[in-house]
């Protein structure tokens, strides 16, 4: 999937960067979802709500709501139409919005009423690249190779102590849990590589920003 400032975006959808949503037209139906920017600024989503199936919605109006630990937002429709289906899978697993926003994490489907006249307000990825890049910079969106389920900020801690905490966290977490660990210990990169080899858990990504080290760790299945 192509990336803009390390953030992945699908190529087979049309974007409305102002509303943070995308649309995919398929045989008279349009699937709508949230884009990568909204998927990453909220933290792991904890709840969703939808307008009822059959509701008529004007472009820019609410399709429902999403809530995470850092953010509550309205999901707005990029097209005028009638809601024909909602993604009930999100009720049980809201984090599909984070992990797969262009696939299993789609939000609703609508029957568009003015698709041809409103399509001009939407852009393919190439045309949307510049406004998406500006928004990522404006909101300080940071994307990694996988969306973290848990954040660990260990500034000022020695790596030996950090690894003890990480071992405990991983031990009580389900398989495939993704942890974002932040450390300022200069030995942390070497220590995390050794930890991954010793435990069999995956060190998915390492990134340095100034004096901080960011690690994406995934628990083995």
């Amino acid at each position: 999937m192509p990336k803009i400032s390390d953030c992945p975006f699908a190529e087979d959808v049309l974007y409305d960067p102002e509303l943070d949503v995308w649309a995919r037209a398929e045989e008279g139906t349009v699937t709508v979802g949230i884009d990568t920017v909204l998927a990453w600024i909220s933290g792991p989503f904890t709840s969703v709500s939808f307008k009822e199936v059959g509701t008529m919605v004007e472009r820019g109006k609410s399709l429902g709501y999403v809530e995470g630990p850092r953010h509550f937002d309205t999901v707005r429709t990029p097209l005028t139409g009638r809601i024909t289906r909602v993604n009930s899978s999100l009720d049980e697993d809201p984090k599909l919005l984070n992990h797969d926003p262009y696939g299993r994490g789609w939000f609703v489907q609508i029957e568009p009423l003015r698709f041809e006249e409103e399509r001009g307000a939407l852009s393919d990825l190439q045309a949307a690249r510049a406004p998406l890049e500006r928004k990522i910079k404006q909101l300080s969106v940071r994307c990694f190779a996988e969306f973290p389920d848990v954040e660990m900020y260990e500034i000022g801690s020695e790596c030996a102590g950090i690894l003890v905490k990480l071992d405990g966290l991983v031990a009580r977490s389900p398989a495939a849990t993704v942890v974002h660990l932040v450390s300022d210990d200069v030995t942390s990169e070497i220590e995390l590589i050794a930890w991954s080899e010793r435990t069999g858990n995956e060190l998915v990504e390492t990134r340095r920003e100034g004096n901080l080290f960011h690690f994406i760790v995934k628990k083995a299945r």
Side-chain angles (χ1 to χ4, degrees):
M1 192 175 289
K3 292 185 178 182
I4 301 174
S5 300
D6 293 318
C7 295
F9 289 86
E11 289 186 289
D12 64 338
V13 302
L14 297 174
Y15 289 91
D16 187 325
E18 182 178 349
L19 299 179
D20 292 323
V21 294
W22 56 264
R24 182 186 288 122
E26 302 168 294
E27 299 180 357
T29 296
V30 174
T31 301
V32 178
I34 67 171
D35 70 10
T36 306
V37 173
L38 185 51
W40 278 83
I41 62 175
S42 301
F45 284 110
T46 54
S47 65
V48 301
S49 60
F50 305 99
K51 291 294 181 69
E52 292 184 3
V53 170
T55 301
M56 298 296 300
V57 287
E58 294 284 330
R59 169 175 159 75
K61 299 299 183 180
S62 171
L63 293 168
Y65 305 93
V66 291
E67 185 172 3
R70 299 192 298 267
H71 193 72
F72 174 88
D73 214 322
T74 302
V75 179
R76 301 184 185 278
T77 180
L79 297 166
T80 298
R82 181 176 64 88
I83 298 174
T84 58
R85 186 182 176 194
V86 300
N87 187 356
S88 57
S89 297
L90 298 178
D91 290 323
E92 297 181 3
D93 188 3
K95 288 191 290 187
L96 286 173
L97 289 162
N98 303 114
H99 292 288
D100 193 12
Y102 302 102
R104 294 179 302 148
W106 61 274
F107 199 71
V108 304
Q109 291 181 339
I110 64 173
E111 179 186 359
L113 297 182
R114 298 195 288 268
F115 181 76
E116 292 304 323
E117 60 185 278
E118 293 181 335
R119 187 189 186 285
L122 305 177
S123 305
D124 62 19
L125 182 58
Q126 182 176 355
R129 177 175 289 273
L132 287 171
E133 196 164 21
R134 285 194 298 270
K135 198 154 197 181
I136 289 169
K137 184 176 181 180
Q138 174 192 355
L139 298 176
S140 300
V141 179
R142 181 191 289 115
C143 299
F144 293 97
E146 293 206 34
F147 193 93
D149 301 298
V150 184
E151 307 272 2
M152 282 184 65
Y153 290 92
E154 298 294 334
I155 310 305
S157 301
E158 293 186 358
C159 198
I162 295 172
L163 293 181
V164 171
K165 292 183 181 180
L166 181 59
D167 279 331
L169 173 61
V170 170
R172 59 180 180 270
S173 299
T177 294
V178 177
V179 180
H180 174 208
L181 169 62
V182 184
S183 171
D184 59 353
D185 188 321
V186 295
T187 70
S188 58
E189 184 170 9
I190 295 173
E191 296 289 349
L192 261 293
I193 292 172
W195 177 87
S196 175
E197 293 175 349
R198 172 174 57 82
T199 64
N201 296 302
E202 183 180 2
L203 182 56
V204 178
E205 184 178 356
T206 299
R207 185 185 303 177
R208 182 169 186 174
E209 296 180 355
N211 68 329
L212 295 180
F213 297 87
H214 296 263
F215 304 100
I216 299 297
V217 174
K218 186 173 185 178
K219 182 175 179 177
R221 295 184 181 275

